[in-house]
Amino acid sequence: MTSRSSDTLGHAMARSQGLDTLLRDLTDRAVVQVPGADACSVTVRRADRLMTLAGSTGLPGGLDLRQYENGSGPCVDAAETGSAQYAPDLAAETRWPAYTEYALATGVRCVLALPLAVEGETGAALNLYGVEPDSLARGREEARAFAERASDAVNEALRIERQQASAADVRTALLSRSIIDQAVGMLMARERIDAHRALERLRRASQDRNVKLRDLCARMVARASGGDSHGGQ
């Protein structure tokens, strides 16, 4: 891939507010940068099923979904086998009869699906569509280079998302611990009992009321500070 292409993908990463935004930008750029491409999409397996995370402007609706429903098609095969799939002319294609009939009805004649190496996912593919027979032949090398760079960008975005989710989990855990500790301290002072007994009483109360321990403690602390007139131990 040219340095210009790498730079534009880097700029997309810098501007991206999340994986979805990044992928939409990447699919639009693929159409611009890969000769013969009229539409592009990104397929990723999540929760044990293939799904389209993003599609370029002009992508015919249902073009990928029909493949997922049938369990057959170029992007399905690319994602599941890790091998590139090229159909120069769908009118003469015999590998995916149910899919090719639908794709031809949308005006698509040529498909190139390239596997993406995405960490933590069991299958992913970059899918390129052309409206003329063999229109993607001259852009196959550019498409491969673009897919390699796109894999790097998607992996980086996923890494950032995982870090953000982990940080959010830590903040939630710390907040829960703080709220519970406050409630334990209040109960210790009020009932003149030790921390172990106070915590056990709060746990029993949460079970009896079918309320999460953190929520019970939060209500208790809020009530003590005048923020809630209900609940408490």
Side-chain angles (χ1 to χ4, degrees), residues 100-123:
T100 54
E101 181 180 359
Y102 179 84
L104 286 168
T106 70
V108 171
R109 290 291 296 272
C110 182
V111 181
L112 174 62
L114 300 167
L116 295 176
V118 179
E119 297 173 7
E121 308 294 344
T122 57

Side-chain angles (χ1 to χ4, degrees), residues 46-175:
R46 278 187 168 178
D48 200 34
R49 68 186 182 92
L50 291 175
M51 60 186 298
T52 298
L53 293 186
S56 65
T57 303
L59 180 71
L63 197 57
D64 292 344
L65 181 60
R66 186 57 60 94
Q67 297 184 65
Y68 308 150
E69 292 174 344
N70 294 334
S72 175
C75 75
V76 171
D77 286 1
E80 293 189 341
T81 68
S83 299
Q85 305 293 321
Y86 183 52
D89 187 358
L90 290 179
E93 183 59 62
T94 59
R95 285 175 289 179
W96 317 288
Y99 169 70
T100 54
E101 181 180 359
Y102 179 84
L104 286 168
T106 70
V108 171
R109 290 291 296 272
C110 182
V111 181
L112 174 62
L114 300 167
L116 295 176
V118 179
E119 297 173 7
E121 308 294 344
T122 57
L126 180 76
N127 315 304
L128 298 160
Y129 302 95
V131 297
E132 298 293 337
D134 212 23
S135 59
L136 291 161
R138 65 185 186 278
R140 291 180 70 175
E141 289 306 314
E142 180 71 13
R144 289 193 183 96
F146 191 97
E148 290 177 5
R149 184 70 182 101
S151 293
D152 292 340
V154 170
N155 278 313
E156 179 65 13
L158 287 170
R159 183 186 65 80
I160 292 171
E161 280 197 347
R162 293 188 188 108
Q163 286 181 340
Q164 291 174 341
S166 177
D169 289 343
V170 169
R171 286 193 297 271
T172 298
L174 290 174
L175 178 60

Side-chain angles (χ1 to χ4, degrees), residues 208-232:
D208 292 343
R209 301 179 189 185
N210 195 28
V211 176
K212 290 183 180 179
L213 179 61
R214 181 193 179 282
D215 293 340
L216 177 75
C217 293
R219 294 176 189 174
M220 184 175 171
V221 172
R223 183 181 183 185
S225 62
D228 185 5
S229 60
H230 303 285

